[in-house]
Amino acid sequence: MTLTASRPTAVEPGQSQIKRPFRPLRLVLHVFLGLVALGWLLPLLLAVYASLRPYVETAELGYFSLPRTLTLDYYSQAWSQADLPKYYLNTLIIVVPGVILTLLMASFTAFAIARLRIPGRRVLLVVFTAGNLLPPQVLITPLYTLYTLIPLPWWLSDSLSLYDSYLGLILIHVAFQFGFCVFVLANFMRTIPEEISEAAMVDGAGVWRRYWQLTLPLCRPALAALSTLQFTWMYNDFLWALVLMSSGDKLPVTSALNNLRGQFFTDYNLLAAGSLLVALPTLIVFQLLHKQFVSGLTLGSTKG
Amino acid sequence: MITRRYSRRDLAVLGFGLGAAVLVNVALIWGPTLASVALSGTDWNGISELRWIGTRNYGDLAGEYPPFWSAVRNNVLWLAFLGLIATPFGLFCAVLLDRRLKLSRVYQSALYLPVVLSLAVVGFIAQLVYSSDYGVLNAVTGLTTDWLGDSSINIWVVMVAAAWRHVGYVMIIYLAGLKAVDPALKEAAAIDGASEAQTFFRVVFPTLRPINVIVFVITVIEALRAFDIVYAINKGRNGLELLSVLVTENIVGEASRIGFGSAIAVILLVISMGFIVTYLSQLFKEDHR
């Protein structure tokens, strides 16, 4: 293991051999990790490459060949043929309220569990967290039946029931992701010094004020991490929409890819372009909020 | 410590906030879960009267429903593949990346990029690579194997795609765990003349125990939850049967054998609960210290 003394401050693999005579291992390490990283990116790069080439060309030469023509046509074709703008909007209608509601409910619950010493708080935390870990299939049937039985007014759902409505999908996302968020936030809140909240209480601040004005602003890092993660998870969902939606035009964007499959013939180059367009928002979020994404994943598993 | 009693307004806020949380959780998660257990003892098809048939669904499952056993086999394979190959590889990468290498950031990003992709998209990319007539794999190797269509090999191919995503996930978690290991431990071991391998296996790895449990359970849960990727490829048929797919197929499809589908769901539930309990007891044990 590299000792703390030999902190390599941006040393080139080659140079480090001069500094420390016996370090060919470092080069091997870089070669190995470089190859692994390349291998990991390869399928994505391949999809990008395929999406830039016309079908006729790849059909003739195969995907593993030098390009004759490169074109962005497939992107515009996927964009319009799969009606992507509409489906992006559908996803947005589901994911944005989903993330906000989840975080609101989870942060209040976490606040109550971590700060207020309400009776039974441990049981609550265990039950909520366990709910997040269930395979969705375990609750699908009764949920489906329940959804068809709950009537909604026409202005909330044109199917007149929770089934096949945006609200239904939002609710199941909230319910399913809630446990994870409560768990992460409760742990995070325990690390905030209690004195702040106690001082406010002495000053006569009520529960809501201590939650909304004192605790929540201090949870910003955890909230940022969770919203990044929740955005990605809800965006990527495939199953809930499949089971709880029936109208094709209300489906989220992950399901819209099926519109690009022909009945007899599927143009994989077009599908590649479509897949990349669908993946783009999460890739952008991941690049921009890299730190939040990683800390979100590790907060949940290693307790910050 | 908080000893003051809550004002009426405080109680109303608490009641509303927690009430909503509990309501949503019971109505949409635990209620339906319990209802699944109850439905698994009936032969309901969604329309008919509820009729109690005891454990007959479970008997039929084991005896007269061939996809069930291939699904069990595939789920076990899936678990073994993720657990014995993908997870150790993720740990291995984490250990390598833990040494403040230059470019470490780049390697890390590449490894966990697939984590942010929808499994549905991963499924489509898999088709691009594995397609029999113009997939890249056949083009490069010169083979004519039908990687996704041949029911004796397609599960392996799909597991590789799933592992592609799993490795990055495991790597992040282990990397965070390794960063938290006290460097003094490693130094002490090095001063005592331990080799790197010895330091890792005798000193570092044992301190990762809580993380190992968590990764183990995440791996199991991922293996039990696996669904999207096979569904995106061929709707989980012809060699790609998984328990989760069978549940969905029996319930959503035209068959609508809800009682039967629920029985499969309950089996999934029982296995998951075992691991969920392990996971939570590990997590909450730390609280007591």
Side-chain angles (χ1 to χ4, degrees):
Chain A
M1 240 359 90
T2 328
L3 298 186
T4 37
S6 67
R7 190 169 308 212
T9 43
V11 188
E12 288 288 319
Q15 287 174 343
S16 68
Q17 286 181 8
I18 303 162
K19 242 174 116 184
R20 310 168 132 263
F22 206 118
R23 295 239 90 174
L25 257 179
R26 198 134 270 231
L27 189 68
V28 175
L29 204 60
H30 273 287
V31 171
F32 176 77
L33 285 171
L35 283 177
V36 170
L38 194 68
W40 245 246
L41 288 179
L42 215 54
L44 265 185
L45 295 177
L46 186 80
V48 174
Y49 187 46
S51 70
L52 294 173
R53 305 176 67 192
Y55 176 76
V56 206
E57 187 186 312
T58 45
E60 192 193 324
L61 303 170
Y63 284 106
F64 195 65
S65 55
L66 288 172
R68 271 190 221 143
T69 30
L70 290 175
T71 160
L72 286 170
D73 280 358
Y74 275 123
Y75 287 91
S76 56
Q77 199 185 328
W79 184 265
S80 54
Q81 192 179 321
D83 234 339
L84 284 184
K86 189 173 81 190
Y87 290 101
Y88 278 130
L89 185 68
N90 289 347
T91 293
L92 222 57
I93 293 174
I94 295 161
V95 170
V96 172
V99 172
I100 294 174
L101 253 176
T102 310
L103 291 182
L104 264 181
M105 274 176 62
S107 60
F108 185 79
T109 311
F111 171 74
I113 286 174
R115 277 289 175 260
L116 299 181
R117 282 152 226 286
I118 48 161
R121 60 183 189 278
R122 255 187 109 71
V123 178
L124 271 184
L125 190 54
V126 171
V127 169
F128 288 155
T129 317
N132 173 251
L133 296 169
L134 292 172
Q137 279 79 11
V138 164
L139 40 123
I140 263 180
T141 326
L143 194 70
Y144 169 84
T145 316
L146 183 74
Y147 267 42
T148 53
L149 290 178
I150 294 179
L152 283 185
W154 59 268
W155 49 269
L156 263 175
S157 157
D158 51 15
S159 62
L160 300 180
S161 71
L162 204 51
Y163 176 70
D164 198 21
S165 73
Y166 293 125
L167 183 66
L169 274 193
I170 295 171
L171 282 179
I172 189 60
H173 280 310
V174 171
F176 212 71
Q177 296 301 337
F178 169 79
F180 177 78
C181 293
V182 171
F183 177 73
V184 169
L185 285 168
N187 280 332
F188 189 86
M189 285 177 190
R190 289 208 187 97
T191 64
I192 300 173
E194 202 145 4
E195 288 74 23
I196 303 173
S197 185
E198 276 174 12
M201 201 173 58
V202 174
D203 289 349
V207 165
W208 180 256
R209 247 193 91 170
R210 273 152 56 208
Y211 157 69
W212 187 252
Q213 292 191 342
L214 285 166
T215 312
L216 217 46
L218 293 172
C219 290
R220 251 185 231 136
L223 289 172
L226 281 176
S227 43
T228 316
L229 214 54
Q230 290 302 334
F231 172 82
T232 317
W233 285 347
M234 291 185 194
Y235 182 96
N236 283 342
D237 164 67
F238 185 68
L239 174 74
W240 293 123
L242 188 76
V243 178
L244 299 175
M245 280 271 183
S246 60
S247 321
D249 60 341
K250 280 194 268 185
L251 288 173
V253 75
T254 38
S255 319
L257 278 178
N258 277 322
N259 295 358
L260 295 178
R261 282 172 187 275
Q263 204 174 352
F264 306 106
F265 158 77
T266 299
D267 184 341
Y268 281 93
N269 301 28
L270 177 64
L271 207 56
S275 301
L276 288 169
L277 282 175
V278 168
L280 206 59
T282 49
L283 290 176
I284 292 173
V285 165
F286 169 69
Q287 281 310 324
L288 292 181
L289 302 169
H290 193 265
K291 219 181 82 194
Q292 278 76 14
F293 185 82
V294 174
S295 70
L297 272 186
T298 47
L299 266 176
S301 54
T302 62
K303 306 189 61 180
Chain B
M1 284 295 127
I2 293 164
T3 47
R4 195 187 70 154
R5 289 176 55 214
Y6 298 114
S7 73
R8 190 171 293 174
R9 185 164 173 271
D10 285 348
L11 287 177
V13 169
L14 266 176
F16 181 76
L18 287 181
V22 171
L23 180 75
V24 167
N25 222 264
V26 168
L28 300 182
I29 305 287
W30 290 106
T33 303
L34 291 179
S36 272
V37 178
L39 281 176
S40 73
T42 71
D43 64 354
W44 200 42
N45 62 11
I47 310 153
S48 64
E49 293 274 300
L50 278 177
R51 197 159 55 100
W52 187 256
I53 56 165
T55 56
R56 211 173 75 204
N57 281 330
Y58 294 93
D60 287 355
L61 254 186
E64 295 164 28
Y65 190 58
F68 176 70
W69 289 111
S70 41
V72 169
R73 190 193 75 119
N74 284 344
N75 270 96
V76 171
L77 260 183
W78 199 284
L79 174 62
F81 193 82
L82 289 188
L84 299 177
I85 296 172
T87 302
F89 188 69
L91 171 62
F92 183 61
C93 290
V95 172
L96 296 185
L97 286 167
D98 187 38
R99 337 171 144 222
R100 304 159 184 274
L101 285 175
K102 203 193 174 194
L103 292 179
S104 171
R105 235 355 195 329
V106 178
Y107 300 142
Q108 278 179 47
S109 296
L111 270 176
Y112 57 65
L113 197 64
V115 180
V116 303
L117 295 180
S118 162
L119 274 170
V121 170
V122 174
F124 289 112
I125 294 180
Q127 285 177 330
L128 213 57
V129 177
Y130 296 125
S131 159
S132 63
D133 28 356
Y134 42 79
V136 172
L137 193 60
N138 279 350
V140 176
T141 56
L143 297 170
T144 49
T145 317
D146 188 0
W147 297 101
L148 295 172
D150 186 337
S151 60
S152 61
I153 45 172
N154 54 8
I155 188 74
W156 295 96
V157 166
V158 174
M159 286 190 304
V160 169
W164 182 52
R165 213 161 161 271
H166 188 73
V167 167
Y169 193 17
V170 169
M171 188 270 298
I172 305 180
I173 293 169
Y174 269 125
L175 200 55
L178 286 168
K179 290 243 184 313
V181 173
D182 187 356
L185 270 179
K186 290 187 229 164
E187 278 176 46
I191 290 166
D192 288 346
S195 71
E196 280 200 25
Q198 282 175 326
T199 312
F200 178 73
F201 284 110
R202 305 256 175 90
V203 180
V204 178
F205 195 69
T207 63
L208 292 176
R209 209 194 87 88
I211 306 213
N212 288 331
V213 174
I214 288 160
V215 168
F216 171 71
V217 176
I218 287 176
T219 306
V220 174
I221 303 254
E222 289 281 306
L224 290 173
R225 277 188 178 183
F227 173 80
D228 308 40
I229 189 165
V230 279
Y231 201 85
I233 286 175
N234 72 354
K235 298 212 154 64
R237 297 189 184 129
N238 189 27
L240 295 185
E241 291 84 5
L242 289 172
L243 286 175
S244 59
V245 176
L246 294 188
V247 179
T248 315
E249 197 154 74
N250 274 290
I251 289 164
V252 180
E254 292 128 39
S256 210
R257 300 164 73 192
I258 289 178
F260 192 67
S262 301
I264 309 174
V266 169
I267 290 173
L268 209 53
L269 171 71
V270 170
I271 307 172
S272 325
M273 277 319 278
F275 292 101
I276 292 174
V277 170
T278 319
Y279 179 63
L280 292 180
S281 56
Q282 173 69 36
L283 282 178
F284 289 101
K285 203 169 69 186
E286 288 168 33
D287 280 0
H288 279 305
R289 290 193 195 131

